[in-house]
Amino acid sequence: MRVGTSPDEGALSLAGERVASMDLDQLCINTIRTLSMDAVQQAKSGHPGTPMALAPLVYTIWNRVLRFDPQDPIWPDRDRFILSNGHASMLLWSVLHLTRTQAVNAEYEKLGHASVTLDDLRRFRQLDSKAPGHPEYHWVSGVETTTGPLGQGIATSVGMAIAEKWLANRYNRPGFPIFDYRIYAVCGDGCLMEGVGSEAASLAGHLGLDNLCWIYDNNRITIEGHTNITFSEDVAMRFLAYGWNVLRISDANDIGRIEHCLERSRQNTGSPTLIILDSHIGYGSPHKQDTAEAHGEPLGEEEIRLTKRAYGWPADGKFLVPDGVYEHFEEGVGKRGASACRDWKQLFEEYRSPYPELAAEIDRMQRRELPEGWDRNLPVFPADPKGIAGREASGKALNVLAQNIPWFLGGSADLGPSNKTLLTYEGAGHFEANQRGGKNLHFGIREHAMGATLNGLALSKVRPYGATFFIFSDYERPAIRLSALMELPTIFVFTHDAMGDGEDGPTHQPVEHLASLRAIPGLVLLRPGDANEVVEAYRYILQLRHQPAVLVLSRQPLPTLDRTKYAAASGVARGAYVLADAGGADPEVILIASGSEVSVAVDAHEKLAGEGIRSRVVSMPSWDIFEHQSQEYRDSVLPPKVAVRVAIEQASTFGWERYIGLKGRAIGMTTFGASAPLKELQRKFGFEPARVTAVAKELLGKG
Ligand SMILES: Cc1ncc(C[n+]2csc(CCOP(=O)(O)OP(=O)(O)O)c2C)c(N)n1
Ligand SMILES: [Mg+2]
């Protein structure tokens, strides 16, 4: 028996015999259970009950079914495992530890050490431990997606399933099933109550994603108690209505039945599978089983002893991994995964000779690199006072990029014609249940699931974009936040960025959205000022490998600036740049604007020049990118000595103080908008050159 350095080592011998006689499956399952109980107790926080109940499920998936190589946890054709009820993270930490899954860094290099050590488990939920509170992609190797906000994991799994179908369609050839993996997601009552879970299930059913299997932990317990106070629908009927294949397991300890149902899900074609698993939270705990207390509190030392006794486990053993457990995982998932991975690598090497170009694409995609010539033919727009809408320019750029980058694909939440995100070139196609090669995705009116699905696509290494109106970023925000937390290069396209759709009124006019998304750490947000800035924004975004981007585009035409007169749009790559200047001498006032207000600032600048007032226009499509420039550059754009500054942006003024200082003035929104034609709204809310010049002159004392 192998025991961690614990003070209780002496007390194990008698129970040790019982452990020795336990069959290996049971031994592994109880190891997962007891590691989970011990880690939560040690941390004095966490969720022991669900790991205790689901240990047999997770054991069966991992050791009997999953095609996963612990030695190479990023092998492209591995099965994916998602713990959507992320609070049960000890399940994942236990199994990653017991399978000795290896660590990989952000550059996809193997680091030669374990992803999760026993010491990490002892330091569950402590700073720097590789066993944090919830599964974190990019922090712990072997975690396929970050979970914790309930419903996100299962919704993300739908993106992974779409990606697998798309990849298989593009890259598989007779005798070469290069992409042939399945996605397993475990979820609880919370995930199925959340709206995003329903949106995602509906989409997966519609798309007939038979590579997807969700296992629902039907324990009828959530934090506030029994689900009969909140959740009484017939889940099986609901999923049947979505078009899913629904299976049921009445005993969560029946690993034979679990394995059988997983196999049936694998054989099922044309629909995703939901396995409803009836379980007992806190299984084996004499006083806490089937109670809400087992959900999110340590069991307590005494209850742990009693529970271990009930398992036939040494009551005083802590972080105990009995002899034979690591070996049994090695015999199961270890051997199966290694051989599948080896076979795949050989197959892929053989594939290279008949299909060198496809193989090269796969190589690049896996490293998140772009193909040669990815930006060729991107449009350059001539100066035009009438101009074109941001969304129009975006549509043109997308259509070029999608032809240059085979694995760049996306769609909209039923607003494709408005967002101008439809790929219209010949052969672009539409992704549907019977057409897996299409590059136009249709998410339906499911913004939240779209966001999570995009993340699932990005996690699968294709390059996705998804679009809706900017106002509905609110409906997608939790997934946007997770893309930033996961450091995924997901692209979120938003059109109708301000009051451009005037008549639709305040329900459709974003106000606080820019500020709110700018506040998400690591998220790159760009609000380009004309068509050429849109193209430069795409040029910047496409080169991101570990950051998501939000593109905020106008509905209405914006003048295309004359770049022979004003600075080049390539300044976008620095977040903010001097677009028009005072000519020789220092400016008296700096006008800072983004998006549709850039041309307003340029007009104001020309008017001020006519009155002998020296102004500078700074186009600032991205705060975030600008913040990452050198101090020297930032000072060159916004010289500290020029304190008179005006910001113009059709959005909440929140946060603009950082660039305009206390003496500056932000022309923005401090109320909701209104339903009226755009011109009237611009007048009412002051987004006109005359207002800008008036404010500038007032600040200069020349009013
Ligand atoms: C979106 C979201 N809302 C609320 C929570 C807080 N929370 C964590 S677990 C939980 C209860 C989940 O119940 P269930 O999914 O049945 O999990 P079980 O207790 O059965 O493991 C809640 C409300 C969360 N993590 N995510
Ligand atoms: Mg529950």
Side-chain angles (χ1 to χ4, degrees):
M1 179 170 295
R2 190 177 295 119
V3 185
T5 47
S6 103
D8 312 285
E9 271 179 60
L12 305 176
S13 57
L14 199 144
E17 280 167 33
R18 263 184 290 154
V19 166
S21 67
M22 218 173 265
D23 76 56
L24 280 170
D25 295 326
Q26 201 55 46
L27 195 68
C28 292
I29 290 166
N30 285 340
T31 304
I32 297 173
R33 286 178 166 142
T34 52
L35 284 176
S36 303
M37 288 152 52
D38 289 341
V40 172
Q41 189 65 36
Q42 178 120 328
K44 299 195 181 64
S45 88
H47 304 77
T50 301
M52 291 157 73
L54 297 188
L57 169 74
V58 169
Y59 167 75
T60 310
I61 295 178
W62 277 72
N63 216 31
R64 295 198 175 175
V65 177
L66 208 65
R67 276 165 39 97
F68 177 86
D69 182 4
Q71 296 299 316
D72 188 353
I74 58 169
W75 147 53
D77 196 37
R78 68 191 183 280
D79 285 343
R80 283 14 179 212
F81 175 82
I82 297 173
L83 192 68
S84 193
N85 45 354
H87 56 276
S89 61
M90 270 310 301
L91 279 169
L92 197 47
W93 308 144
S94 303
V95 87
L96 288 174
H97 171 66
L98 296 173
T99 55
R100 295 187 172 119
T101 294
Q102 294 295 295
V104 178
N105 68 12
E107 291 305 312
Y108 315 111
E109 296 155 346
K110 281 177 231 154
L111 299 178
H113 60 77
S115 169
V116 179
T117 64
L118 202 53
D119 226 42
D120 288 314
L121 302 188
R122 285 201 193 88
R123 300 192 60 256
F124 177 49
R125 292 181 156 241
Q126 308 309 304
L127 197 62
D128 293 335
S129 167
K130 294 289 181 181
H134 291 82
E136 290 183 43
Y137 179 79
H138 244 280
W139 174 239
V140 191
S141 305
V143 174
E144 300 285 6
T145 183
T146 296
T147 53
L150 297 170
Q152 286 292 329
I154 46 176
T156 303
S157 78
V158 174
M160 293 183 182
I162 292 173
E164 194 278 336
K165 290 288 181 193
W166 189 88
L167 290 165
N169 182 281
R170 177 165 179 89
Y171 296 104
N172 291 358
R173 289 292 181 274
F176 291 103
I178 300 298
F179 291 101
D180 184 19
Y181 56 88
R182 296 183 57 72
I183 299 98
Y184 299 94
V186 175
C187 60
D189 298 302
C191 291
L192 294 196
M193 285 192 223
E194 288 290 353
V196 68
S198 307
E199 291 178 23
S202 163
L203 181 59
H206 170 79
L207 290 173
L209 298 171
D210 52 20
N211 50 357
L212 182 64
C213 178
W214 291 0
I215 302 98
Y216 163 41
D217 174 27
N218 180 35
N219 64 13
R220 298 168 302 274
I221 293 288
T222 65
I223 290 177
E224 291 190 8
H226 197 281
T227 51
N228 60 18
I229 61 172
T230 47
F231 196 46
S232 44
E233 70 213 29
D234 185 330
V235 169
M237 291 291 277
R238 186 178 132 203
F239 275 74
L240 286 170
Y242 287 143
W244 285 55
N245 168 42
V246 178
L247 304 174
R248 182 150 211 146
I249 301 172
S250 59
D251 174 5
N253 289 318
D254 186 347
I255 60 176
R257 172 88 184 141
I258 292 173
E259 188 178 3
H260 173 73
C261 286
L262 292 168
E263 175 58 21
R264 277 180 61 191
S265 100
R266 202 173 66 77
Q267 283 172 7
N268 177 64
T269 55
S271 55
T273 294
L274 178 75
I275 300 176
I276 302 177
L277 179 79
D278 298 343
S279 81
H280 296 280
I281 195 166
Y283 175 79
S285 158
H287 302 105
K288 304 240 169 136
Q289 178 176 316
D290 293 322
T291 70
E293 290 86 77
H295 162 91
E297 294 166 18
L299 294 178
E301 296 286 0
E302 185 50 26
E303 190 68 9
I304 287 183
R305 295 167 71 89
L306 295 175
T307 309
K308 285 183 179 167
R309 199 164 294 152
Y311 294 153
W313 207 254
D316 292 318
K318 279 197 179 153
F319 295 99
L320 179 63
V321 181
D323 283 347
V325 169
Y326 292 110
E327 293 76 7
H328 192 55
F329 276 103
E330 170 59 31
E331 278 300 305
V333 61
K335 277 205 173 143
R336 190 179 59 251
S339 120
C341 182
R342 203 180 319 113
D343 290 353
W344 184 87
K345 283 178 178 161
Q346 194 183 330
L347 185 77
F348 189 58
E349 283 315 309
E350 288 164 18
Y351 176 82
R352 279 183 196 284
S353 69
Y355 307 109
E357 277 143 31
L358 293 180
E361 282 185 17
I362 294 170
D363 286 337
R364 277 184 195 273
M365 194 191 324
Q366 294 304 317
R367 295 192 301 265
R368 297 201 185 286
E369 291 168 1
L370 296 165
E372 297 290 338
W374 64 272
D375 61 349
R376 66 170 179 262
N377 303 331
L378 273 174
V380 177
F381 296 90
D384 175 2
K386 227 176 111 256
I388 76 167
R391 57 177 175 154
E392 293 280 358
S394 162
K396 291 185 196 304
L398 285 173
N399 272 278
V400 170
L401 292 166
Q403 291 178 76
N404 293 346
I405 309 168
W407 56 92
F408 182 63
L409 74 174
S412 164
D414 200 48
L415 288 169
S418 261
N419 298 140
K420 307 291 178 199
T421 42
L422 278 176
L423 301 176
T424 51
Y425 62 89
E426 201 185 328
H430 299 267
F431 184 90
E432 275 296 342
N434 56 357
Q435 300 170 57
R436 299 305 196 190
K439 301 235 290 181
N440 282 294
L441 304 179
H442 299 278
F443 296 100
I445 305 130
R446 303 182 184 97
E447 294 82 6
H448 196 176
M450 173 172 74
T453 300
L454 292 173
N455 289 341
L457 288 158
L459 286 160
S460 313
K461 305 284 177 74
V462 299
R463 197 69 195 278
Y465 62 89
T468 181
F469 290 160
F470 192 35
I471 189 81
F472 303 130
S473 60
D474 283 342
Y475 274 44
E476 198 179 0
R477 198 170 192 283
I480 299 175
R481 182 176 194 276
L482 277 192
S483 73
L485 184 56
M486 287 194 269
E487 302 178 13
L488 296 180
T490 311
I491 301 172
F492 302 94
V493 177
F494 295 107
T495 68
H496 298 57
D497 66 340
M499 284 186 282
D501 199 1
E503 292 86 346
D504 272 341
T507 57
H508 282 56
Q509 293 159 351
V511 171
E512 71 282 18
H513 301 73
L514 282 174
S516 127
L517 291 173
R518 280 172 180 152
I520 295 182
L523 180 69
V524 176
L525 181 145
L526 287 132
R527 184 172 183 248
D530 77 349
N532 289 310
E533 283 200 6
V534 172
V535 172
E536 293 309 310
Y538 272 112
R539 200 189 303 280
Y540 183 89
I541 288 170
L542 263 292
Q543 295 176 74
L544 297 172
R545 293 171 70 227
H546 297 295
Q547 274 185 290
V550 161
L551 197 52
V552 184
L553 303 166
S554 76
R555 168 189 187 252
Q556 73 279 19
L558 306 179
T560 306
L561 298 169
D562 180 353
R563 299 289 172 169
T564 60
K565 184 168 177 201
Y566 303 114
S570 54
V572 166
R574 311 202 73 171
Y577 62 103
V578 179
L579 180 66
D581 215 354
D586 282 341
E588 297 165 76
V589 53
I590 304 177
L591 311 176
I592 315 170
S594 81
S596 45
E597 286 65 66
V598 171
S599 56
V600 177
V602 169
D603 278 359
H605 162 83
E606 300 296 352
K607 287 194 170 65
L608 289 170
E611 296 177 38
I613 296 173
R614 299 188 309 279
S615 68
R616 164 179 289 191
V617 178
V618 170
S619 173
M620 187 178 264
S622 176
W623 289 17
D624 175 79
I625 300 173
F626 187 62
E627 289 301 322
H628 286 89
Q629 305 305 308
S630 66
Q631 185 69 46
E632 195 187 353
Y633 177 76
R634 283 182 284 150
D635 287 349
S636 76
V637 176
L638 298 174
K641 66 181 175 194
V642 186
V644 182
R645 301 176 181 189
V646 182
I648 314 121
E649 190 171 67
Q650 251 186 56
S652 166
T653 57
F654 188 90
W656 269 108
E657 313 79 36
R658 71 166 60 183
Y659 297 120
I660 58 175
L662 296 177
K663 291 190 191 141
R665 184 81 62 83
I667 299 176
M669 297 295 291
T670 52
T671 64
F672 292 113
S675 172
L678 176 61
K679 281 256 168 292
E680 281 179 48
L681 293 173
Q682 285 168 334
R683 195 167 319 127
K684 175 175 165 62
F685 292 102
F687 298 103
E688 292 182 316
R691 169 89 188 285
V692 178
T693 54
V695 168
K697 286 196 280 186
E698 183 194 325
L699 292 180
L700 289 168
K702 298 183 178 180

